[in-house]
């Protein structure tokens, strides 16, 4: 059971780092949105999951 928990934690951390890297490296249509997502994902990693789904609408 502990192996599954560790696996899930690793996946969540990987998604969090991917989202942070994507926010930093991409150009957004609106710079205020970039700031919002960077702060939001930085402090609330659960927003990283949401970011993955709305990313295509935010990036140029």
């Amino acid at each position: 059971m502990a192996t599954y928990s560790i696996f899930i934690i690793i996946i969540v951390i990987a998604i969090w780092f991917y989202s942070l890297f994507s926010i930093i490296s991409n150009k957004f249509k609106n710079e205020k949105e970039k700031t919002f997502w960077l702060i939001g994902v930085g402090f609330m990693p659960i927003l990283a999951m949401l970011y993955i789904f709305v990313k295509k609408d935010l990036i140029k």
Side-chain angles (χ1 to χ4, degrees), residues 2 6 9 11 13-14 23 27-28 35-37 40-42 44 47 53 55-56 58:
I6 292 171
I9 290 170
I11 289 175
I13 290 172
I23 292 168
K27 287 205 172 252
F28 278 59
T35 305
F36 166 78
W37 281 104
V41 170
M44 293 182 62
L47 283 178
F53 294 112
K55 173 179 148 178
K56 64 181 178 181
L58 299 171

Side-chain angles (χ1 to χ4, degrees), residues 12-43:
V12 169
I13 290 172
I15 290 172
W16 184 58
F17 277 120
Y18 167 76
S19 295
L20 284 174
F21 179 75
S22 174
I23 292 168
I24 292 169
S25 64
N26 287 320
K27 287 205 172 252
F28 278 59
K29 293 177 184 174
N30 186 354
E31 285 298 315
K32 290 182 181 181
E33 289 178 352
K34 181 175 187 172
T35 305
F36 166 78
W37 281 104
L38 187 60
I39 292 171
V41 170
F43 288 111

